Every structure is written in C-alpha cells, then in structure tokens.
Amino acid sequence: MAAPKKVSREITLELDAGNAAMVDVGKMLGPTGVNTRALKLDYDAATAAQRGEVVPVVVTVFEDRSYALRYKTPPTAYLIRKVLGLPGGSARPGTQAVAKMSRQQLRDVAERKLPDLNTDDVEAAMRQVAGTARSMGVLIADE
C-alpha cells in the first residue's frame, strides 16, 4: 500500500459551474504550482450538468503539486435567491423584507443543502436555511 500524500494546502473556491473563470482559478492556485488549466478542465467537466450555478470546490493541493477536488452544494444564500428570483438580499434585513418564502421552497433548499450541513434531519436543516433567509430579509410563510 502506498504511503498517503502530504497535504500542502487546502483552498475553497466558489466558481461558476461548467465555466470557471481562469482568472479566479489562477489567482488562488497560481502560487501553489498546480496545473491550473488541468484543474479548470476537471472542474468544468464535473460541474457541466449544473451550468449557471455557483458550485464551491475544495481543492486539496499535495506537496508533489497534484490535487484532489471535493465538490460542495451551492451556497444557501445563492439557492434562496435562485428559488425566489431575487437579484440580492435586503439592504436592511431586520426592517426591510424583500420576499416571502413558502415552507415547500424552504424544504427544497434544505434538502439540496443537506449533504453539506452538520445534520441529517430535514427539519433542523430547514431551521438553518430559515436563519440564512431571515438574515437576507426574506420572510418565511407560517412563521
């Protein structure tokens, strides 16, 4: 059995799925010596089905300049904005509401985020997503 590779650095990038900007990849990974072109091609191929979304990826860079990619779900705020069709959140979240989210929309976002959250209970995930929605100035129906 081969010895495990030594990890040099771990970097999280939020890139456009299927069409990552080479500038963003190079800016963060250039100093590590990783082949950024190969990494971009790997990322674009793996996320092509989610084109148009923001898909975070954790890049683990090893001492031999190789890398491993671990894909995550889109950010919660991004998913809420997408479901509600909003350009952004409220400028004053405590006093100004920008939209109202139904329980079903909340459940859909929570189920999508479940793999990245620190729970496997959908109700707990819904409470976490609801907190993010409130901080954006989005009201939750039946609350």
Side-chain angles (χ1 to χ4, degrees):
M1 188 160 109
K5 295 180 180 182
K6 286 208 174 241
V7 175
S8 170
R9 195 181 292 184
E10 221 175 57
I11 302 167
T12 303
L13 303 173
E14 288 188 3
L15 303 169
D16 293 329
N19 190 23
M22 194 64 195
V23 171
D24 295 336
V25 175
K27 185 173 23 174
M28 295 301 291
L29 295 173
T32 64
V34 169
N35 182 346
T36 54
R37 173 118 173 93
L39 187 138
K40 177 195 174 340
L41 292 174
D42 290 347
Y43 176 83
D44 287 347
T47 60
Q50 297 173 317
R51 191 175 290 273
E53 293 186 351
V54 174
V55 177
V57 62
V58 177
V59 182
T60 304
V61 180
F62 300 105
E63 283 185 344
D64 65 354
R65 294 185 181 166
S66 62
Y67 59 89
L69 302 177
R70 189 176 80 237
Y71 302 95
K72 300 178 104 182
T73 57
T76 306
Y78 173 82
L79 292 174
I80 292 169
R81 286 194 328 262
K82 184 178 174 193
V83 164
L84 297 175
L86 296 173
S90 172
R92 298 186 323 240
T95 58
Q96 179 186 30
V98 292
K100 192 166 191 169
M101 188 175 203
S102 71
R103 298 292 293 174
Q104 184 57 46
Q105 290 172 321
L106 183 66
R107 178 175 288 281
D108 293 342
V109 172
E111 287 172 350
R112 175 99 188 262
K113 282 298 290 182
L114 206 54
D116 285 346
L117 297 176
N118 58 358
T119 184
D120 11 346
D121 179 30
V122 176
E123 292 298 319
M126 287 173 66
R127 287 192 296 274
Q128 288 183 20
V129 172
T132 302
R134 279 191 297 275
S135 73
M136 294 172 62
V138 174
L139 300 175
I140 306 298
D142 303 325
E143 223 182 45

